[in-house]
Amino acid sequence: MPSEVTEEFIIIVAVVLIGLVLFGFTMTYFLPHEIFSLAQQQASSISSSTTISVGPLISNSVNASTVIEVYNPALSGNVTLIVFPEPSYLQQDVGLVTPQSSPQFFVYSSNGKLAKSLSINIPIYDVSGKIVYGSQITAYTVPFNTPVTVVVNGVNGNNYILIVWVLYNSNGYWFRIGYTFTGAPST
């Protein structure tokens, strides 16, 4: 009789351990994948209803500036901007070009105050789930539906464009929900 109780106890312990292992596997694999999938769907939905307006690139001998508005009438929260200069011949590849280093730019709100900056240390994904940038980079948080002025140091002349990335943080993941560029106006 004691050996039967011992065998049943061992079976119960084995079943509990198998259950805990399966639960642990589910929590470490399927749950993060599901959270990422939900975040990606949210970012994709916001991307499809968001437009980016950007003014011409105005430059002098020291820096360049432009006005940007990220417009989505259904949202009142914030988005994040990354702006970086690239040679103008890369205009046709604007969706593929990534910053070579952390760009030197500043974002000012409509009242002239510097927007809140942040450092992004985790990958940035596009809305299809592909990583588009994986290094540390500085960005600025701005509100939807409000024009802001961006100033980029070290860019002058007509040989550059400014590439604008609009990022959205969903469930702790960063997504590029839109991008565009601007250049010097034609004369």
Side-chain angles (χ1 to χ4, degrees):
M1 180 114 150
S3 67
E4 291 175 7
V5 172
T6 305
E7 289 175 9
E8 288 178 12
F9 181 73
I10 291 173
I11 291 172
I12 290 172
V13 169
V15 168
V16 169
L17 287 176
I18 291 171
L20 288 174
V21 167
L22 288 175
F23 178 75
F25 179 73
T26 300
M27 295 303 285
T28 58
Y29 179 74
F30 291 110
L31 186 61
H33 181 68
E34 186 63 25
I35 290 172
F36 180 82
S37 180
L38 291 172
Q40 181 184 355
Q41 289 173 11
Q42 181 185 27
S44 181
S45 174
I46 291 170
S47 174
S48 66
S49 60
T50 298
T51 57
I52 307 165
S53 299
V54 60
L57 178 64
I58 308 298
S59 63
N60 59 32
S61 61
V62 180
N63 56 39
S65 65
T66 190
V67 175
I68 299 169
E69 181 178 7
V70 182
Y71 183 72
N72 189 325
L75 297 174
S76 61
N78 292 324
V79 290
T80 302
L81 295 179
I82 295 174
V83 179
F84 56 98
E86 291 292 339
S88 57
Y89 67 82
L90 292 173
Q91 179 175 330
Q92 68 276 3
D93 297 322
V94 71
L96 303 173
V97 176
T98 61
Q100 299 303 312
S101 60
S102 195
Q104 297 295 314
F105 73 104
F106 303 94
V107 178
Y108 297 92
S109 61
S110 55
N111 63 8
K113 292 186 178 180
L114 188 64
K116 180 184 174 189
S117 67
L118 67 142
S119 181
I120 299 175
N121 299 314
I122 59 175
I124 298 170
Y125 299 88
D126 64 14
V127 292
S128 68
K130 177 185 170 194
I131 294 176
V132 293
Y133 194 76
S135 299
Q136 180 176 345
I137 194 164
T138 300
Y140 286 86
T141 301
V142 300
F144 275 106
N145 311 315
T146 304
V148 294
T149 301
V150 176
V151 177
V152 181
N153 291 337
V155 176
N156 57 42
N158 295 331
N159 297 329
Y160 285 92
I161 58 171
L162 293 184
I163 298 177
V164 178
W165 283 8
V166 177
L167 308 180
Y168 187 79
N169 190 299
S170 181
N171 290 337
Y173 295 98
W174 285 102
F175 291 92
R176 183 182 70 177
I177 61 168
Y179 61 87
T180 190
F181 73 95
T182 186
S186 301
T187 55

